[in-house]
Amino acid sequence: MSLWNGLRYRLRALLRPARHTRELADEMDFHLELEARQRARLSGDARAADDAHFAAQRRFGNRTYLHEESRRMTAFEWLDTVNRDARFAARSFRRTPGFTAVVIITLALGLGVNTAIFSALHALLLRPLPFDHSEQLMNVSLTRSGNTTRGAGSSDAIVWSVPKFTMLRDQQRVFSELGIFGPDEVTIAGDTHAAERVEAEVVGGRYFETLRVRPIIGRSFLPEELDRAGAPATAIVSEGLWQRRFDASRAALGSTIDVDGHPHTIVGVMPSSFSGLTGRSQIWIPIAAEYPGDLTEAWNLSYAGVARLAPGVDAARAESAVRTIGARIDAATPYPIGHEQWGAAARPLDATRVDPAIRRSLFVLAGAVIIVLIITCANVAGLLIVRASRREREVAVRLAIGASRPRLIRQLVTESVLLSLAGGLLAIGLAAAGVRVLEALNPASTLRLQNLTGLGVVSFSRITLDATTLSFAAALAVITGLVFGLLPALRGTRPSLVEGLTTARRSKRHGGLTGRGLLSVVEIALAVVLLAGSGLMLRSLRNLLGVAPGFDASQVLTLRVNVSSDSSAKAATNDYYQRLLTSVSSLPGVTAAALASCPPLNGGCNRTWLELPDRAPVPAADRPIVSVHWVSPAWFATMRVPIVGGRTFGIADSRNTRRAVIVSQTAAAKWWPGRDPIGRPVRLGQGGFNNDTGVVVGVAGDVKYVSLDSPPAADMYLAYSQSQRPATVVFLRTAGDPNALRASVERAVRAVNVNVPAYDVRTMDDRAGDATAQARFGAVLLAVFAAISLLLATIGIYGVISTSVATRMREIGIRVALGATNAHVLRLALGEGVSFAVLGAVLGIVGAVAATRVLSALLFGVVPADPVTYAGTVAILGAATIAAAIAPARRAGRADPMRVLREE
Amino acid sequence: MTRAALGAGTLEMLILKTLDTGVLHGYAIAQHIERLSKDVLAVEQGSLYPALERLQAKGWVTSQWKASPTGRQARYYTITASGRKHLGAKKTEYDRVALAVARVMRGT
């Protein structure tokens, strides 16, 4: 209790100083009064009271001093000491602005990149999902090939069809709620505003109930709205859309909104904090209303599943239950083609929030910034050691006159913490800028459309500086200050320093690893690791960028349209497409225009089975799978994809003629090796073939549709004029900057049909950029970190060499006087620094060979032990060492023996 | 008569001993010590009040404002349980040292 009593007393004195002082004064007045009265009584003379009062006051002593004394007694003494130490440190830093600036900037770099990367890790991996008890949420998915060991979220995970999901829902006993959703884009119209294209989620099951989100007004979907085809169509809108299109009026409830050409009754408004598991949805529509056919199609796989664990059920039990049910679902609805065995899997939603590849590169980057932080600490510690050696006399004097060593160490550590706090402040500015760059580079945001399992799509992952990341920065600054401050403080206050008083300049110990040298070896070694790593990533990125995608992306503007939002356009799709092409082709600046169902580098397109009627028939289950694309005749010319054999589509290819097929070179080589595919019959599982047989009319160059680093696929092209698709991508080759045409193109599309707006308007370069986004993310950031660490390591080498030269000037001077050659002097001056660099490089390369193995999954076309990268690393390090050595070497070369000796 | 000044530790011990007999204000503590020591020990106010603050900061003494017999408000000090414990330890140590010093000074 005494501790508490004492603490309370101190706190009161500290927090209410005025009151404390006043009470003290009252108490002393009381004392004085009693004292005076006592004296008056003793002398028996009432008039002596005044004298007595003065006497008492004299005896009382100096009141102000008393107050100060009392304050010193009661206040938290250490707080006061820290304050004084900090002031002292600040004064001494003002005297050495150059040193201080270098240290603070170094720290700001180290802490800044750490804070920025931490905020990315926090946003993408660590921050709890924004749902009530999100730890109970599981992602449930189908798995291909029955392999459930990797489970949901892995590349094996597949989205659900409604019937398969319903089987899971009805058979399970481990979840309290389950729901499914599919990302979608819809055109909304119907109120007084212009038609617009918005992100949507098509939902089924108890999606909102599973996530425990409630509308701010209105209600959630009713069961019959969700699972009964033909039920009145309803919609729930986001708060933003409600404000934008309905002026936040309650009258919006019950009114209709036109979704893809169909009226939907608005039944609820979701709060702005909720934008679905896609993180971008502005409107929610029941599957039954938007895609009624999906309710019965067991193989229409479009929906990601989410479930909430029932009370008392843990994730492991749910996983095994889902696996068991998965086998039953597979038995009930076997895979229609091939012998694949499918299953189902569940795993915590939190674990599926980003693509595993992004997770991997985030961890690599986290490792890299920790290395940067270690280098930063080593560098600053090195600088502080140099500073301490200049202050040896000061420290020695203070030790000699009785300052205790712990007291001095505390002073020095206060200095380093002060520095790191200053660096930390600057770092927050740097991190804020870094976070903006990261948000722009954020590979999760560019990949989310491509990953339809829904889970990479989770993008409530805006990278921002928030309270957590700022506390992280503050904590990091303090810890860093302690770490890099302690070594110099311990070294700088060695008791042997008292010798420093007796000899004007001690002769330095030569050779061997001094603390400073050891630090610079560590710095160099770590910098080499980062250099090698970033070299590998950059070479990998260069390889990726060097891949020929099979088309010419420059000066191409792309946009999407979807005719399903307008019944007239949908009824006459071919006519609509024809008018659309005519309209946009005639725009000034457009040199060619064409349509295709799927843009290249998009992560994949429609796939279906292939049958070759002129071969021996294969069982339906064994038919090969190919990708199919619907294109307009000018597409190959517009995208500059060569037709290497046969012809492109033409006006002659109409609904009344035989289906024409153009195959890619890879497809030609695969199905007709060594033979001419032109004129060969093919049948495809889709595309309005209706069991008709098509004929190969041409062979086109390979185009990368999935990604740059995947091998070319067997693609087949069909003519729009022979089988339409409701959605299409328009490609416009332009004479100038494609971005300049955006507005006029959007106007032209609206002019063709006001209910079919253009959306997703982007240049092809931009789309292609997405394909390298993840590689860029890793490579660019690693390169930045490597550059920072190289810079810091160079400063470190410079420090070692210049200190060594400074302390050996006398020796050098004498040697010059004795006739040493210039080369000899240089060797003397630089020997230590260069040998540290070599040692660091050797250690670094050994470390890099081990460390870069973690990169192998992120590399493309380069092995972790790439000799070119290592040669480059060594060359860069060599150049850095030379750069660091130039100035000190010149100083040594100018050593004037007379002056050096005179200074002695 | 010259009066003996007190070291900080000794003064604290005397204050605790004084408060062990009852609740007193600062002036009464000083009077008590001076009276019992037959005016040999001087308790300067300049050291008394800082000592009292130290004792409070250590939690050995608590204080409370109350009306004094003269009608004025005064701060009355009370020894705490841990203060008593500390006093006991100090007294044992003091007895040991005092006896030792006395033996040496008498040369027996």
Side-chain angles (χ1 to χ4, degrees), chain A residues 504-523:
Chain A
R505 187 179 289 175
R506 294 176 305 144
S507 60
K508 274 266 181 206
R509 187 156 49 106
H510 296 310
L513 280 177
T514 57
R516 177 86 229 243
L518 185 67
L519 288 175
S520 72
V521 169
V522 169
E523 274 180 57

Side-chain angles (χ1 to χ4, degrees), chain A residues 213-292:
Chain A
V213 290
R214 281 179 200 86
I216 47 172
I217 59 166
R219 59 167 174 86
S220 188
F221 293 127
L222 304 174
E224 60 267 28
E225 290 165 349
L226 287 164
D227 56 22
R228 198 169 306 156
T234 49
I236 291 176
V237 297
S238 71
E239 195 175 349
L241 193 146
W242 179 52
Q243 285 164 351
R244 192 168 69 240
R245 294 186 78 108
F246 297 93
D247 297 324
S249 155
R250 283 194 81 91
L253 289 183
S255 69
T256 58
I257 186 167
D258 209 75
V259 179
D260 282 348
H262 303 290
H264 287 59
T265 307
I266 296 174
V267 297
V269 177
M270 279 292 160
S272 57
S273 57
F274 179 71
S275 44
L277 279 178
T278 58
R280 300 192 300 180
S281 181
Q282 299 187 46
I283 188 166
W284 291 267
I285 313 148
I287 296 169
E290 188 71 1
Y291 302 108

Side-chain angles (χ1 to χ4, degrees), chain A residues 346-393:
Chain A
R347 69 174 192 161
L349 186 65
D350 192 59
T352 60
R353 58 203 279 176
V354 293
D355 191 278
I358 294 171
R359 181 186 299 265
R360 204 175 301 122
S361 51
L362 280 172
F363 283 132
V364 167
L365 291 174
V369 291
I370 289 170
I371 292 181
V372 173
L373 189 66
I374 296 172
I375 295 177
T376 305
C377 284
N379 204 299
V380 174
L383 288 167
L384 284 179
I385 287 177
V386 173
R387 183 166 186 266
S389 70
R390 296 209 187 103
R391 286 168 69 184
E392 273 173 6
R393 282 183 71 88

Side-chain angles (χ1 to χ4, degrees), chain A residues 749-760:
Chain A
V749 173
R750 214 175 275 280
V752 178
N753 186 325
V754 71
N755 288 328
V756 184
Y759 64 99
D760 195 21

Side-chain angles (χ1 to χ4, degrees), chain A residues 2 27 31 33 70 74, chain B residues 34 45 49 53 72 77 82:
Chain A
S2 71
E27 192 175 7
H31 193 110
E33 194 187 305
S70 113
T74 51
Chain B
E34 292 185 5
Q45 292 88 333
Y49 288 101
E53 294 214 38
R72 265 189 77 155
Y77 294 90
S82 63

Side-chain angles (χ1 to χ4, degrees), chain A residues 2 58 194 282 523 531 550 578 608 614 643 668 727 729 791 866:
Chain A
S2 71
R58 264 199 309 283
Q282 299 187 46
E523 274 180 57
L531 275 175
Q578 208 48 58
T608 189
D614 58 348
I643 296 290
V729 186
L791 179 71
D866 179 46

